[in-house]
Amino acid sequence: MDNFTFYSPTYFLFGKETEKQTGEYVKKYGGHKVLIHYGGGSVKRSGLLDRVKASLDEAGVEYVELGGVAPNPKSGLIYEGIELARKENVDFLLPIGGGSVIDSAKAIALGVPYDGDFWDFYTGKVVEEALPVGTIVTLAASGSEGSTDSVVTHEDGMHKRCADGDILRPKFSIMNPELTCSLPPYQTASGVTDIIAHCMERYFSHTQGVELTDRLLEAVMLTLIKEGKRAMADPSNYDARANIMWGATVAHNNITGVGRAQDWGTHHMENELSTTYGCSHGEGLAVLFPSWMRYALKEQGPERFVMFATRVWGCEMNFEDPEATALEGIEKYEQFIKSIGMRTSISELGGKEEDIPKLVESMFFEAPNHGSFVQLTKEKAAEIYKMAL
Ligand code: NZQ
Ligand code: ZN
């Protein structure tokens, strides 16, 4: 196991009606005037926005609001949010939504105290200062409610990039699984796929002696397979929603990833698919992971993939032919994500072979390093995209 540091100070309020405590927790973490940030309208339709405002009113916390965050959030609204927050003397960010809304809020939180362009933090500048963020989660997927990351797209060039720093972990996150019962099946399935992918990015590692995190990752993946099927069949099943929701946080606050090299090459390749074809982030991962695994199996050998096949997918070990076992595990993974409704090829997203050079160029634009288990070059990335066609 490698040396590591782990600092995860987010206060989680998990369960039914927890959103009623929003005002109290904003105050507890020093907020006097918040920017409520949300997406295209689901929080209005569900009545959640009104409930949150009532809680802020009750606590005597002032607010301004900025809605309209689109999935795979863009820089335009972030610049608008930074300006609004400065003008209104906002001292706390309150995103209500999924990963896109939370990440857009984190970007605004970075931009407000910074003299330069917020985008600097997405192109290598070290993250040191940000306004505090508290989240109310309505979609279990990204894990942004407990993570150090914010992933956004700059409209100038349409590059999707990540800023990363402990200061971006939210002060608190309110997680009521009931809020996720209204998700359309596509978003539930995309979320389940993303959560499993966050485990896979950590699981495929060359680091030895990491039994505990291997087992934690397997536990999260097994839970998501089971509860993902239950939530797809019965969308209002509270316990299924609750296990998925906490699974999203555990998968990506990095308690499952400490002390080991992590890959993330597939996530980097995915950024290009959601940006180019407008699919969900989770579905982009569904398209790429089977091909990435088949490529990695050939390049790196079957050891890790045999573990994945036998421990996560229940495959029988074929001692004569470990590669056959590894391939069976990959097939079972692919069948599962198809069974919950994910498309698994670039052509199903509307992409063509001639798009590949552009995808690769954009991925490597001012970003030369991708992947660890498989260190991606432009040629390797092109081959994996081709396999995923
Ligand atoms: O905009 P509204 O109307 O709210 O609708 C949203 C949106 O259309 C809808 N939705 C959310 N909650 C709902 C709901 N509809 C009905 N009922 C509810 N309760 O769902 C749609 C998708 O929302 P979005 O926030 O885009 O989904 P998700 O949470 O999957 O976030 C995806 C983004 O997170 C980034 C991805 O790259 C992508 O941009 N990620 C962020 C990470 C992080 N910060 O740590 C890590 C991840 O790997 C991921 O990259
Ligand atoms: Zn992800």
Side-chain angles (χ1 to χ4, degrees):
M1 193 192 294
D2 298 335
N3 290 1
F4 66 86
T5 60
F6 182 62
Y7 177 67
S8 179
T10 306
Y11 193 100
F12 294 101
L13 288 88
F14 192 97
K16 294 175 185 173
E17 300 194 0
T18 42
E19 66 273 15
K20 289 187 176 161
Q21 296 173 69
T22 307
E24 184 192 326
Y25 276 81
V26 169
K27 256 169 93 172
K28 182 173 168 179
Y29 286 99
H32 301 94
K33 185 159 188 183
V34 305
L35 173 61
I36 305 175
H37 203 34
Y38 54 90
S42 70
V43 297
K44 284 189 175 165
R45 288 192 296 278
S46 65
L48 175 61
L49 184 60
D50 287 339
R51 294 205 296 286
V52 170
K53 285 181 184 173
S55 170
L56 295 172
D57 287 338
E58 203 182 316
V61 174
E62 287 183 76
Y63 51 82
V64 286
E65 58 184 278
L66 180 64
V69 180
N72 307 307
K74 313 283 181 305
S75 52
L77 198 69
I78 293 166
Y79 288 117
E80 209 180 299
I82 292 168
E83 215 170 287
L84 176 67
R86 284 182 182 154
K87 191 174 113 217
E88 295 284 344
N89 291 319
V90 161
D91 59 8
F92 200 95
L93 270 292
L94 184 64
I96 315 176
S100 295
V101 174
I102 299 173
D103 287 359
S104 180
K106 287 180 175 179
I108 295 170
L110 278 171
V112 172
Y114 179 56
D115 282 341
D117 185 344
F118 89 90
W119 188 245
D120 293 346
F121 298 107
Y122 294 76
T123 50
K125 187 171 174 61
V126 177
V127 167
E128 278 169 334
E129 196 187 356
L131 288 187
V133 178
T135 82
I136 301 171
V137 185
T138 66
L139 198 171
S142 69
S144 188
E145 67 279 359
S147 84
T148 57
D149 306 335
S150 161
V151 187
V152 305
T153 302
H154 206 292
E155 274 137 325
D156 177 10
M158 291 303 279
H159 297 296
K160 192 177 189 187
R161 296 285 186 265
C162 182
D164 174 24
D166 274 331
I167 193 93
L168 290 181
R169 292 201 198 257
K171 297 291 173 214
F172 67 80
S173 281
I174 290 178
M175 304 174 70
N176 175 356
E178 283 181 324
L179 300 177
T180 64
C181 292
S182 58
L183 283 169
Y186 177 70
Q187 293 299 342
T188 299
S190 297
V192 167
T193 308
D194 190 21
I195 297 164
I196 295 175
H198 294 163
C199 298
M200 292 161 75
E201 297 283 17
R202 293 172 167 93
Y203 196 71
F204 297 110
S205 171
H206 294 300
T207 311
Q208 298 294 309
V210 285
E211 179 74 8
L212 177 65
T213 44
D214 279 348
R215 293 298 190 180
L216 289 173
L217 289 164
E218 288 160 8
V220 179
M221 288 191 274
L222 286 164
T223 303
L224 263 291
I225 295 162
K226 181 176 169 211
E227 302 294 8
K229 284 183 198 157
R230 273 218 294 176
M232 291 305 290
D234 178 9
S236 51
N237 186 313
Y238 181 83
D239 287 327
R241 293 292 188 182
N243 279 289
I244 292 171
M245 196 171 214
W246 191 237
T249 307
V250 173
H252 198 47
N253 84 340
N254 210 31
I255 197 147
T256 56
V258 291
R260 56 195 295 147
Q262 305 181 15
D263 191 77
W264 298 100
T266 312
H267 261 69
H268 293 189
M269 290 184 68
E270 193 298 302
N271 285 340
E272 305 308 321
L273 299 192
S274 48
T275 309
T276 308
Y277 305 115
C279 61
S280 68
H281 167 64
E283 191 170 47
L285 293 165
V287 165
L288 290 170
F289 247 116
S291 297
W292 179 88
M293 282 195 281
R294 290 188 178 104
Y295 185 93
L297 166 64
K298 273 223 168 97
E299 190 187 90
Q300 299 296 329
E303 190 190 342
R304 280 265 136 192
F305 296 97
V306 165
M307 263 172 71
F308 182 64
T310 53
R311 294 180 180 185
V312 180
W313 297 100
C315 301
E316 281 282 324
M317 178 65 200
N318 181 340
F319 290 96
E320 309 283 295
D321 187 358
E323 198 175 316
T325 310
L327 282 168
E328 196 189 329
I330 297 169
E331 267 153 41
K332 287 206 168 169
Y333 163 79
E334 196 168 11
Q335 278 162 21
F336 169 72
I337 50 176
K338 276 187 179 159
S339 77
I340 57 173
M342 294 285 90
R343 291 171 287 184
T344 53
S345 66
I346 291 178
S347 52
E348 285 172 279
L349 302 180
K352 299 195 176 54
E353 188 166 354
E354 53 264 35
D355 301 345
I356 291 176
K358 241 173 98 183
L359 299 175
V360 172
E361 281 315 311
S362 174
M363 174 179 167
F364 281 82
F365 178 76
E366 293 178 358
N369 300 317
H370 305 282
S372 148
F373 190 74
V374 173
Q375 290 178 1
L376 291 173
T377 57
K378 286 185 180 180
E379 293 69 30
K380 291 183 193 180
E383 190 169 339
I384 295 166
Y385 279 131
K386 202 167 170 193
M387 288 165 72
L389 266 176

